[in-house]
Amino acid sequence: MSLRVYNTLSGEKETFVPQVPGKAGMYVCGVTVYDYCHIGHARANVVFDIIYRYLRYAGYDVTYVRNYTDIDDKIINRANQEGVDYRVITERFIRAFDEDMERLGLAKPTVEPKATEHIDGIIAIIERLIAKGHAYESDGDVYFAVETFPEYLKLSKRNLEEMQAGARVEVGDRKRNPMDFALWKGSKPGEPWWEAPWGKGRPGWHIECSAMSMRFLGETFDIHGGGKDLVFPHHENEIAQSEAANGCRFVRYWLHNGFVNINAEKMSKSLGNFFTIREVLERFDPETLRFFILSAHYRSPIDFSDQNLDEARAGLERIYACLAAIDAVLAGTAVTGELPTGFSPASAGHELKEKAELFKDRFRDAMDDDFNSAQALGAVFETVRVANRFLAEAREMDASARALLARVRELIAEVGGVLGLFGSSPKAWLDGINAAGAGRMDISPEEIERLIVERNEARKARDFRRGDEIRDMLLEKGIQLLDSAQGTTWKAK
RNA sequence: GGCGGCGUAGCCAAGUGGUAAGGCAGAGGUCUGCAAAACCUUUAUUCAGCGGUUCAAAUCCGCUCGCCGCCUCCA
């Protein structure tokens, strides 16, 4: 089966056929660096991270461009508020963005250009647009004339007349048509500026993405991504500028991710109901957040809540617990990696072997279907269930049993590499979750260990009253004891 | 008002023509001194409602109801 992607432009799933066989060019609108990123940014970036990883996994040579928009009204406003140069702001939030993405385990894009490094390219496009009659200068500003581009609004499927009717009239407008948008803005005193044929100024929003994508991916490229909210006006305007300037198709496949909701309402800056990535990571492990994001299809809305994050953590914990159990069996033994034969048809070994053989196909089928990570995770869970059963059933772990488990372990690591999950040492991850949980309790891990020893001594002496007393006391503090043949461990509830 | 999307079990969530993945929570069982954890079994004759097309519909079409998004900065 081949990769199919949902193209916003056509409104349908299409078979992905790259412009150049074996290669894929992908541009994703990055952030405007004037504030800390919220979990909506986390979602967009995680989603396109797995799209990038999966394209590579599927064998494409991918050029992935993700920009920083480092000049913009909001940046200037913030700089003015703080009384600092705009670059102080952009440098601070570029660093913050990089830290956040690193913690979320994102792969580095091929290029991460900044708008301010491409002013020449921006000016060149604007000059071409003016020369072709698609743009006009007006009192130091330059605007794109939407009426000169008949296909305007083809992405968002709107109607120009109706939008004009509803457009807001701006005071002292320099536009010929209220729907025209700025390519270049003349600078006011005290604002950052660059020299241009129309005087000192700075680029408008939208034009930087046209310039940077063209620079690194060419006039036509395969995939352009971003959040749903960028469809209009940002991407619509990018199409107008780029196609009017170059006279050819701009993007082949438009991909847009759905929103993060809070209590079923869109999370946004203007509503003030947003959480920054940093705030969330104070309470939840980064991989849990990533797992939560990937547990739904990228185009669906997801509802962010403590309960949903707790459920995601429980699910991820189940997978890691299984991996830890496999690792414990495999510890210190060399395995061949060959799939063994000889499991009787009714046994868990036979079933697990079957799951292992079909696993990669199921994963690829899911991801080929418009990057359906939720379905892919379903396949992982099924494998985990059967592996757990195998671990519980098997009397002794002979060479073929270990080889089978090693194969399962390898497969989960392989798809984990594509999803950016399961990359931690299972034991370390589980310990980390415990430690984080225990950090919120008023009891130290040492104290817990001491009480476990005391309880086990009491139990050995068949003093179950004392033993249960300790167990109940710890449970009250949120510490769950786990008894097994190997001894007693604990976890934070 | 215009355009677009969504409505699947108590909750989260796949499934877009062939007879409902998976997770969480719940119930019963195995294990246990009793528990917890783990494992096993189980939990939607049915996909918001009504009508239509079809041998066959959660999936396609129409209508109704409900929710949401974009139309203004936004991932």
Side-chain angles (χ1 to χ4, degrees):
Chain A
M1 196 174 133
S2 53
L3 174 61
R4 286 160 55 78
V5 301
Y6 181 87
N7 188 349
T8 306
L9 187 62
S10 65
E12 286 172 349
K13 278 187 202 171
E14 299 174 18
T15 301
F16 178 70
V17 182
Q19 188 170 215
V20 179
K23 291 184 187 280
M26 168 168 160
Y27 185 94
V28 173
C29 290
V31 286
T32 300
V33 281
Y34 74 103
D35 203 351
Y36 292 108
C37 288
H38 54 62
I39 50 179
H41 297 109
R43 183 180 195 195
N45 282 286
V46 165
V47 159
F48 287 103
D49 180 57
I50 65 142
I51 289 175
Y52 171 45
R53 288 168 186 252
Y54 186 68
L55 287 170
R56 284 196 301 186
Y57 178 78
Y60 294 102
D61 175 15
V62 188
T63 304
Y64 174 24
V65 182
R66 185 185 63 202
N67 73 288
Y68 298 99
T69 295
D70 62 343
I71 180 65
D72 167 89
D73 290 352
K74 291 191 289 292
I75 294 170
I76 294 170
N77 288 342
R78 181 133 190 179
N80 290 153
Q81 270 171 28
E82 296 191 17
V84 296
D85 186 87
Y86 83 101
R87 280 164 292 202
V88 172
I89 303 297
T90 58
E91 276 165 29
R92 181 195 307 159
F93 291 111
I94 285 172
R95 201 174 323 122
F97 175 87
D98 289 346
E99 283 167 15
D100 288 346
M101 294 308 130
E102 160 104 42
R103 292 186 69 189
L104 290 174
L106 292 237
K108 274 284 188 192
T110 319
V111 207
E112 296 176 89
K114 299 184 180 78
T116 54
E117 293 168 353
H118 293 270
I119 302 293
D120 290 352
I122 289 169
I123 289 173
I125 297 173
I126 298 174
E127 283 184 312
R128 215 177 326 159
L129 287 170
I130 291 176
K132 288 188 169 187
H134 287 293
Y136 57 92
E137 196 189 334
S138 177
D139 201 12
D141 294 347
V142 180
Y143 294 96
F144 184 92
V146 294
E147 281 163 36
T148 68
F149 186 71
E151 291 188 296
Y152 191 59
L153 303 180
K154 68 178 171 182
L155 184 68
S156 53
K157 297 164 184 70
R158 293 162 202 273
N159 176 296
L160 191 57
E161 284 71 42
E162 281 169 12
M163 294 207 58
Q164 280 166 325
R168 295 182 183 186
V169 181
E170 290 170 33
V171 181
D173 213 323
R174 301 160 175 170
K175 300 174 184 178
R176 291 180 191 164
N177 181 313
M179 293 302 293
D180 290 352
F181 56 91
L183 299 168
W184 189 262
K185 294 181 174 181
S187 62
K188 300 189 195 83
E191 289 182 349
W193 54 268
W194 286 262
E195 203 69 67
W198 323 283
K200 293 173 180 175
R202 61 191 147 89
W205 185 41
H206 318 305
I207 190 69
E208 82 280 15
C209 286
S210 290
M212 288 182 274
S213 60
M214 199 186 303
R215 164 75 178 74
F216 294 104
L217 299 169
E219 294 183 350
T220 303
F221 58 93
D222 298 308
I223 293 175
H224 192 133
K228 253 191 161 94
D229 48 351
L230 295 182
V231 173
F232 183 88
H234 186 54
H235 289 162
E236 200 70 72
N237 292 354
E238 278 186 56
I239 292 175
Q241 294 160 351
S242 302
E243 300 197 348
N246 297 327
C248 64
R249 184 171 192 179
F250 177 44
V251 166
R252 299 159 60 80
Y253 304 94
W254 284 96
L255 272 52
H256 293 98
N257 65 275
F259 291 128
V260 176
N261 292 157
I262 307 279
N263 298 322
E265 252 196 355
K266 179 189 170 181
M267 182 185 76
S268 78
K269 290 285 218 186
S270 41
L271 290 172
N273 61 345
F274 63 93
F275 295 100
T276 65
I277 293 173
R278 325 191 137 207
E279 283 165 349
V280 173
L281 292 188
E282 276 170 27
R283 293 184 298 125
F284 294 96
D285 155 78
E287 199 171 336
T288 296
L289 179 56
R290 197 175 167 107
F291 185 88
F292 167 68
I293 289 167
L294 296 179
S295 66
H297 184 90
Y298 77 89
R299 283 189 283 116
S300 313
I302 47 171
D303 205 43
F304 181 89
S305 68
D306 279 12
Q307 189 195 329
N308 289 347
L309 265 286
D310 280 335
E311 281 187 12
R313 185 190 42 70
L316 186 56
E317 207 171 327
R318 176 174 163 83
I319 294 169
Y320 265 128
C322 174
L323 295 181
I326 292 176
D327 285 353
V329 170
L330 297 178
T333 64
V335 287
T336 60
E338 289 292 306
L339 265 189
T341 52
F343 293 105
S344 63
S347 73
H350 184 75
E351 196 186 349
L352 184 57
K353 183 167 169 287
E354 259 182 15
K355 284 275 182 219
E357 281 164 350
L358 294 173
F359 184 68
K360 272 212 241 185
D361 283 344
R362 294 199 53 196
F363 175 73
R364 291 195 67 134
D365 284 350
M367 294 299 284
D368 273 346
D369 186 13
D370 198 27
F371 311 104
N372 196 333
S373 56
Q375 194 172 63
L377 287 176
V380 173
F381 274 116
E382 278 184 49
T383 306
V384 162
R385 189 186 65 232
V386 179
N388 275 333
R389 197 172 137 211
F390 180 68
L391 287 164
E393 250 184 39
R395 285 238 159 64
E396 54 185 277
M397 290 295 167
D398 58 17
S400 62
R402 285 203 304 275
L404 177 58
L405 286 171
R407 179 66 183 142
V408 168
R409 183 71 180 80
E410 195 176 271
L411 286 167
I412 291 181
E414 183 175 320
V415 305
V418 179
L419 299 174
L421 295 170
F422 325 136
S424 310
S425 146
K427 194 177 173 313
W429 188 86
L430 293 166
D431 286 350
I433 290 292
N434 263 350
R440 290 194 290 270
M441 316 289 171
D442 57 345
I443 185 166
S444 68
E446 293 74 29
E447 180 68 4
I448 297 169
E449 292 301 333
R450 197 190 61 71
L451 286 166
I452 287 174
V453 171
E454 188 187 333
R455 168 168 172 268
N456 283 342
E457 277 165 6
R459 291 175 73 206
K460 215 173 282 173
R462 304 197 66 76
D463 180 3
F464 295 119
R465 227 174 65 116
R466 176 60 190 154
D468 291 354
E469 200 175 281
I470 292 171
R471 183 177 71 197
D472 296 343
M473 187 267 285
L474 284 171
L475 191 59
E476 212 160 287
K477 290 182 182 296
I479 305 299
Q480 181 82 64
L481 295 184
L482 308 174
D483 293 325
S484 79
Q486 284 77 44
T488 302
T489 56
W490 58 274
K491 71 170 187 176
K493 271 194 90 175

